Short mmCIF file of all heavy atoms in Angstrom, two decimals:
data_model
loop_
_atom_site.label_atom_id
_atom_site.label_comp_id
_atom_site.label_asym_id
_atom_site.label_seq_id
_atom_site.Cartn_x
_atom_site.Cartn_y
_atom_site.Cartn_z
N LEU A 120 -8.19 9.90 1.62
CA LEU A 120 -9.59 9.62 1.28
C LEU A 120 -9.96 8.18 1.62
O LEU A 120 -11.06 7.91 2.12
CB LEU A 120 -9.84 9.90 -0.20
CG LEU A 120 -9.80 11.36 -0.65
CD1 LEU A 120 -9.93 11.45 -2.17
CD2 LEU A 120 -10.91 12.17 0.02
N CYS A 121 -9.04 7.26 1.36
CA CYS A 121 -9.32 5.85 1.64
C CYS A 121 -9.43 5.58 3.14
O CYS A 121 -10.32 4.85 3.59
CB CYS A 121 -8.24 4.97 1.02
SG CYS A 121 -8.37 4.79 -0.78
N VAL A 122 -8.54 6.18 3.92
CA VAL A 122 -8.65 6.00 5.37
C VAL A 122 -9.95 6.60 5.88
O VAL A 122 -10.62 6.02 6.75
CB VAL A 122 -7.46 6.66 6.12
CG1 VAL A 122 -7.61 6.44 7.62
CG2 VAL A 122 -6.14 6.09 5.66
N GLN A 123 -10.34 7.72 5.35
CA GLN A 123 -11.57 8.38 5.77
C GLN A 123 -12.77 7.45 5.60
O GLN A 123 -13.59 7.31 6.51
CB GLN A 123 -11.76 9.66 4.97
CG GLN A 123 -12.92 10.52 5.42
CD GLN A 123 -13.04 11.77 4.56
OE1 GLN A 123 -13.11 11.70 3.34
NE2 GLN A 123 -13.01 12.93 5.22
N ARG A 124 -12.86 6.81 4.44
CA ARG A 124 -14.00 5.92 4.19
C ARG A 124 -13.88 4.63 4.98
O ARG A 124 -14.86 4.14 5.54
CB ARG A 124 -14.12 5.60 2.69
CG ARG A 124 -14.40 6.81 1.82
CD ARG A 124 -15.54 7.67 2.35
NE ARG A 124 -16.82 7.01 2.27
CZ ARG A 124 -17.88 7.36 2.97
NH1 ARG A 124 -17.80 8.34 3.86
NH2 ARG A 124 -19.03 6.73 2.83
N ALA A 125 -12.67 4.05 5.03
CA ALA A 125 -12.49 2.80 5.77
C ALA A 125 -12.84 2.98 7.24
O ALA A 125 -13.55 2.16 7.84
CB ALA A 125 -11.06 2.31 5.62
N ALA A 126 -12.37 4.07 7.84
CA ALA A 126 -12.63 4.33 9.25
C ALA A 126 -14.13 4.49 9.51
O ALA A 126 -14.63 4.10 10.57
CB ALA A 126 -11.87 5.56 9.71
N HIS A 127 -14.83 5.07 8.55
CA HIS A 127 -16.27 5.27 8.69
C HIS A 127 -17.00 3.93 8.78
O HIS A 127 -18.00 3.81 9.50
CB HIS A 127 -16.79 6.07 7.50
CG HIS A 127 -18.27 6.28 7.51
ND1 HIS A 127 -18.89 7.17 8.35
CD2 HIS A 127 -19.26 5.71 6.76
CE1 HIS A 127 -20.20 7.15 8.13
NE2 HIS A 127 -20.45 6.27 7.18
N PHE A 128 -16.49 2.92 8.06
CA PHE A 128 -17.20 1.65 7.98
C PHE A 128 -16.66 0.58 8.93
O PHE A 128 -17.31 -0.46 9.10
CB PHE A 128 -17.16 1.11 6.55
CG PHE A 128 -17.98 1.93 5.58
CD1 PHE A 128 -17.38 2.56 4.50
CD2 PHE A 128 -19.35 2.07 5.75
CE1 PHE A 128 -18.13 3.30 3.61
CE2 PHE A 128 -20.11 2.82 4.87
CZ PHE A 128 -19.50 3.44 3.79
N MET A 129 -15.49 0.78 9.51
CA MET A 129 -14.97 -0.22 10.44
C MET A 129 -15.87 -0.27 11.68
O MET A 129 -16.32 0.75 12.18
CB MET A 129 -13.53 0.10 10.82
CG MET A 129 -12.54 -0.19 9.69
SD MET A 129 -10.83 0.26 10.09
CE MET A 129 -9.98 -0.37 8.63
N GLY A 130 -16.10 -1.46 12.16
CA GLY A 130 -17.07 -1.66 13.23
C GLY A 130 -16.53 -1.37 14.61
O GLY A 130 -15.45 -0.79 14.79
N GLU A 131 -17.25 -1.83 15.62
CA GLU A 131 -16.91 -1.52 17.01
C GLU A 131 -15.61 -2.18 17.46
O GLU A 131 -14.99 -1.77 18.44
CB GLU A 131 -18.04 -1.95 17.94
CG GLU A 131 -18.36 -3.44 17.91
CD GLU A 131 -19.53 -3.81 18.81
OE1 GLU A 131 -20.27 -2.90 19.24
OE2 GLU A 131 -19.69 -5.01 19.08
N ASN A 132 -15.17 -3.20 16.71
CA ASN A 132 -13.90 -3.85 17.04
C ASN A 132 -12.71 -3.16 16.38
O ASN A 132 -11.58 -3.60 16.52
CB ASN A 132 -13.94 -5.32 16.62
CG ASN A 132 -14.91 -6.14 17.46
OD1 ASN A 132 -15.05 -5.91 18.66
ND2 ASN A 132 -15.59 -7.07 16.82
N GLY A 133 -12.99 -2.09 15.64
CA GLY A 133 -11.91 -1.33 15.03
C GLY A 133 -11.34 -1.99 13.81
O GLY A 133 -12.03 -2.69 13.07
N GLY A 134 -10.05 -1.79 13.58
CA GLY A 134 -9.42 -2.34 12.40
C GLY A 134 -7.97 -1.92 12.30
O GLY A 134 -7.39 -1.37 13.24
N SER A 135 -7.39 -2.19 11.15
CA SER A 135 -5.99 -1.89 10.93
C SER A 135 -5.82 -1.18 9.60
O SER A 135 -6.34 -1.63 8.57
CB SER A 135 -5.16 -3.19 10.93
OG SER A 135 -3.81 -2.92 10.57
N VAL A 136 -5.09 -0.07 9.62
CA VAL A 136 -4.72 0.65 8.40
C VAL A 136 -3.21 0.57 8.26
O VAL A 136 -2.46 0.83 9.21
CB VAL A 136 -5.15 2.13 8.47
CG1 VAL A 136 -4.63 2.90 7.24
CG2 VAL A 136 -6.66 2.25 8.57
N ILE A 137 -2.75 0.20 7.07
CA ILE A 137 -1.32 0.10 6.79
C ILE A 137 -1.01 0.99 5.60
O ILE A 137 -1.54 0.77 4.50
CB ILE A 137 -0.89 -1.34 6.50
CG1 ILE A 137 -1.25 -2.26 7.67
CG2 ILE A 137 0.60 -1.41 6.19
CD1 ILE A 137 -1.12 -3.74 7.37
N ASN A 138 -0.19 2.00 5.82
CA ASN A 138 0.24 2.88 4.74
C ASN A 138 1.59 2.42 4.22
O ASN A 138 2.53 2.23 5.00
CB ASN A 138 0.34 4.32 5.24
CG ASN A 138 -1.01 4.90 5.62
OD1 ASN A 138 -2.00 4.67 4.94
ND2 ASN A 138 -1.06 5.64 6.72
N ILE A 139 1.70 2.25 2.91
CA ILE A 139 2.95 1.83 2.31
C ILE A 139 3.75 3.06 1.92
O ILE A 139 3.38 3.81 1.01
CB ILE A 139 2.73 0.92 1.09
CG1 ILE A 139 1.86 -0.29 1.47
CG2 ILE A 139 4.08 0.47 0.53
CD1 ILE A 139 2.45 -1.19 2.54
N SER A 140 4.84 3.28 2.64
CA SER A 140 5.71 4.41 2.40
C SER A 140 6.94 3.95 1.63
O SER A 140 6.83 3.12 0.72
CB SER A 140 6.09 5.06 3.74
OG SER A 140 6.91 6.18 3.56
N SER A 141 8.12 4.41 2.01
CA SER A 141 9.35 4.05 1.31
C SER A 141 10.54 4.49 2.14
O SER A 141 10.44 5.44 2.94
CB SER A 141 9.40 4.74 -0.06
OG SER A 141 10.69 4.63 -0.64
N THR A 142 11.68 3.83 1.93
CA THR A 142 12.90 4.28 2.60
C THR A 142 13.26 5.71 2.20
O THR A 142 13.91 6.42 2.97
CB THR A 142 14.08 3.36 2.25
OG1 THR A 142 14.23 3.28 0.83
CG2 THR A 142 13.88 1.97 2.83
N VAL A 143 12.82 6.16 1.03
CA VAL A 143 13.18 7.52 0.59
C VAL A 143 12.48 8.60 1.39
O VAL A 143 12.82 9.78 1.29
CB VAL A 143 12.92 7.74 -0.93
CG1 VAL A 143 13.68 6.74 -1.76
CG2 VAL A 143 11.44 7.73 -1.25
N SER A 144 11.50 8.22 2.22
CA SER A 144 10.84 9.24 3.04
C SER A 144 11.80 9.83 4.06
O SER A 144 11.60 10.97 4.51
CB SER A 144 9.61 8.65 3.74
OG SER A 144 9.98 7.74 4.76
N ILE A 145 12.84 9.06 4.43
CA ILE A 145 13.84 9.61 5.35
C ILE A 145 15.24 9.60 4.74
O ILE A 145 16.15 10.22 5.29
CB ILE A 145 13.87 8.85 6.69
CG1 ILE A 145 14.18 7.37 6.50
CG2 ILE A 145 12.54 9.03 7.42
CD1 ILE A 145 14.38 6.62 7.81
N ASN A 146 15.42 8.92 3.62
CA ASN A 146 16.73 8.87 2.97
C ASN A 146 16.55 9.04 1.47
O ASN A 146 16.77 8.11 0.69
CB ASN A 146 17.44 7.55 3.29
CG ASN A 146 18.86 7.52 2.76
OD1 ASN A 146 19.49 8.56 2.58
ND2 ASN A 146 19.37 6.32 2.50
N PRO A 147 16.14 10.22 1.02
CA PRO A 147 15.83 10.43 -0.39
C PRO A 147 17.07 10.42 -1.28
O PRO A 147 18.18 10.69 -0.83
CB PRO A 147 15.16 11.80 -0.41
CG PRO A 147 15.70 12.50 0.79
CD PRO A 147 15.92 11.44 1.82
N MET A 148 16.83 10.08 -2.53
CA MET A 148 17.88 10.07 -3.54
C MET A 148 17.60 11.17 -4.57
O MET A 148 16.44 11.61 -4.71
CB MET A 148 17.93 8.71 -4.24
CG MET A 148 18.20 7.54 -3.32
SD MET A 148 18.16 5.97 -4.22
CE MET A 148 16.42 5.87 -4.69
N PRO A 149 18.60 11.61 -5.31
CA PRO A 149 18.35 12.58 -6.38
C PRO A 149 17.29 12.06 -7.34
O PRO A 149 17.26 10.88 -7.68
CB PRO A 149 19.72 12.70 -7.07
CG PRO A 149 20.71 12.34 -6.02
CD PRO A 149 20.03 11.27 -5.19
N GLY A 150 16.40 12.94 -7.73
CA GLY A 150 15.34 12.56 -8.66
C GLY A 150 14.06 12.10 -8.00
O GLY A 150 13.06 11.86 -8.67
N THR A 151 14.08 11.99 -6.67
CA THR A 151 12.88 11.52 -5.96
C THR A 151 12.20 12.63 -5.17
O THR A 151 11.42 12.35 -4.25
CB THR A 151 13.23 10.37 -4.99
OG1 THR A 151 14.11 10.86 -3.96
CG2 THR A 151 13.90 9.21 -5.72
N LEU A 152 12.45 13.86 -5.54
CA LEU A 152 11.95 15.00 -4.76
C LEU A 152 10.46 14.89 -4.47
O LEU A 152 10.03 14.94 -3.30
CB LEU A 152 12.25 16.31 -5.50
CG LEU A 152 11.63 17.58 -4.90
CD1 LEU A 152 12.12 17.80 -3.48
CD2 LEU A 152 11.93 18.78 -5.78
N VAL A 153 9.65 14.77 -5.50
CA VAL A 153 8.20 14.79 -5.31
C VAL A 153 7.73 13.51 -4.61
O VAL A 153 6.94 13.56 -3.66
CB VAL A 153 7.48 14.98 -6.65
CG1 VAL A 153 5.97 15.04 -6.44
CG2 VAL A 153 7.96 16.25 -7.34
N TYR A 154 8.22 12.38 -5.06
CA TYR A 154 7.83 11.10 -4.46
C TYR A 154 8.21 11.06 -2.98
O TYR A 154 7.40 10.69 -2.12
CB TYR A 154 8.50 9.97 -5.22
CG TYR A 154 8.21 8.59 -4.70
CD1 TYR A 154 6.96 8.00 -4.90
CD2 TYR A 154 9.17 7.86 -4.01
CE1 TYR A 154 6.69 6.71 -4.43
CE2 TYR A 154 8.91 6.58 -3.54
CZ TYR A 154 7.67 6.01 -3.75
OH TYR A 154 7.41 4.75 -3.28
N ALA A 155 9.46 11.44 -2.68
CA ALA A 155 9.92 11.41 -1.30
C ALA A 155 9.11 12.35 -0.41
O ALA A 155 8.81 12.03 0.75
CB ALA A 155 11.41 11.77 -1.23
N ALA A 156 8.74 13.50 -0.95
CA ALA A 156 7.93 14.44 -0.18
C ALA A 156 6.57 13.86 0.16
O ALA A 156 6.07 14.00 1.28
CB ALA A 156 7.77 15.75 -0.96
N THR A 157 5.94 13.17 -0.80
CA THR A 157 4.63 12.58 -0.54
C THR A 157 4.73 11.44 0.47
O THR A 157 3.85 11.27 1.32
CB THR A 157 3.95 12.08 -1.82
OG1 THR A 157 4.74 11.04 -2.43
CG2 THR A 157 3.74 13.20 -2.81
N LYS A 158 5.81 10.68 0.41
CA LYS A 158 5.96 9.56 1.35
C LYS A 158 6.30 10.06 2.75
O LYS A 158 5.86 9.47 3.75
CB LYS A 158 7.01 8.58 0.84
CG LYS A 158 6.59 7.83 -0.42
CD LYS A 158 5.29 7.07 -0.21
CE LYS A 158 4.92 6.22 -1.41
NZ LYS A 158 3.65 5.46 -1.22
N ALA A 159 7.10 11.12 2.85
CA ALA A 159 7.35 11.72 4.16
C ALA A 159 6.06 12.24 4.77
O ALA A 159 5.81 12.10 5.98
CB ALA A 159 8.38 12.84 4.04
N ALA A 160 5.22 12.84 3.92
CA ALA A 160 3.92 13.31 4.40
C ALA A 160 3.06 12.14 4.86
O ALA A 160 2.37 12.21 5.88
CB ALA A 160 3.22 14.09 3.30
N LEU A 161 3.11 11.03 4.12
CA LEU A 161 2.32 9.86 4.49
C LEU A 161 2.77 9.29 5.83
O LEU A 161 1.95 8.82 6.63
CB LEU A 161 2.41 8.79 3.39
CG LEU A 161 1.46 7.60 3.51
CD1 LEU A 161 0.00 8.04 3.47
CD2 LEU A 161 1.74 6.60 2.39
N ASP A 162 4.08 9.32 6.09
CA ASP A 162 4.58 8.90 7.40
C ASP A 162 3.91 9.70 8.52
O ASP A 162 3.56 9.16 9.58
CB ASP A 162 6.09 9.10 7.49
CG ASP A 162 6.88 8.10 6.65
OD1 ASP A 162 6.28 7.15 6.11
OD2 ASP A 162 8.11 8.28 6.53
N ASN A 163 3.75 10.99 8.30
CA ASN A 163 3.13 11.84 9.31
C ASN A 163 1.62 11.67 9.37
O ASN A 163 1.03 11.81 10.45
CB ASN A 163 3.51 13.30 9.06
CG ASN A 163 4.88 13.63 9.60
OD1 ASN A 163 5.06 13.82 10.79
ND2 ASN A 163 5.88 13.67 8.72
#
Side-chain angles (χ1 to χ4, degrees):
L120 291 174
C121 285
V122 181
Q123 187 180 54
R124 297 312 292 160
H127 178 74
F128 291 118
M129 286 177 175
E131 61 182 15
N132 292 323
S135 174
V136 174
I137 302 169
N138 293 320
I139 304 299
S140 181
S141 168
T142 55
V143 302
S144 70
I145 60 173
N146 186 25
M148 300 178 293
T151 64
L152 173 60
V153 182
Y154 179 73
T157 62
K158 291 303 185 180
L161 190 61
D162 288 352
N163 280 282

